[in-house]
Amino acid sequence: MTTTPGPDGRLYFEPENPKKRIRNEGLAASVLGTIFFVIGVAGGGVGLLLIGILCAAAGATTLKITEMGTVWVGLSDEERAAAWPGRVAGWVPLACVVIWIGLMAFVGNMVGRR
């Protein structure tokens, strides 16, 4: 969130630009899909390989439909429905990573207190 000074000199919050968020979600899905694909190929994991392909495809589709996150309001319902998997694939793995890091920090803190 950013702030801007108002006419009375106080700072007011500006709402986040949804176009930037859509672009970031599509890029995150594409990058995480590529990482999952590489890990799946290197480790021989078919599950990660398939998840990586699906995440990367969903992210690329979202970026293509929304024209790199610049269009959302003018899209038809079918185009929005096609763009949602990439948006979800972008933030769900990131949320899982953040939760995992938080859990590991909590466990490390509890174990370190002995």
Side-chain angles (χ1 to χ4, degrees):
M1 285 197 155
T2 58
T3 57
T4 56
D8 56 356
R10 296 185 345 189
L11 293 176
Y12 292 95
F13 287 108
E14 289 181 6
E16 182 182 356
N17 186 358
K19 294 177 183 179
K20 187 189 310 183
R21 187 177 64 239
I22 293 169
R23 183 191 66 226
N24 290 342
E25 290 166 350
L27 289 174
S30 298
V31 169
L32 286 171
T34 304
I35 291 171
F36 288 160
F37 178 78
V38 169
I39 292 173
V41 168
V46 177
L48 275 179
L49 186 92
L50 293 176
I51 289 173
I53 291 171
L54 291 175
C55 282
T61 302
T62 298
L63 293 173
K64 171 84 170 99
I65 289 173
T66 62
E67 298 173 10
M68 289 297 289
T70 57
V71 178
W72 183 256
V73 175
L75 296 177
S76 67
D77 291 338
E78 292 84 14
E79 291 171 329
R80 285 186 183 194
W84 268 107
R87 294 186 68 186
V88 172
W91 64 264
V92 168
L94 289 176
C96 292
V97 168
V98 168
I99 291 170
W100 178 259
I101 290 171
L103 284 174
M104 291 299 105
F106 175 75
V107 169
N109 188 21
M110 297 306 281
V111 170
R113 288 187 178 186
R114 288 187 178 191

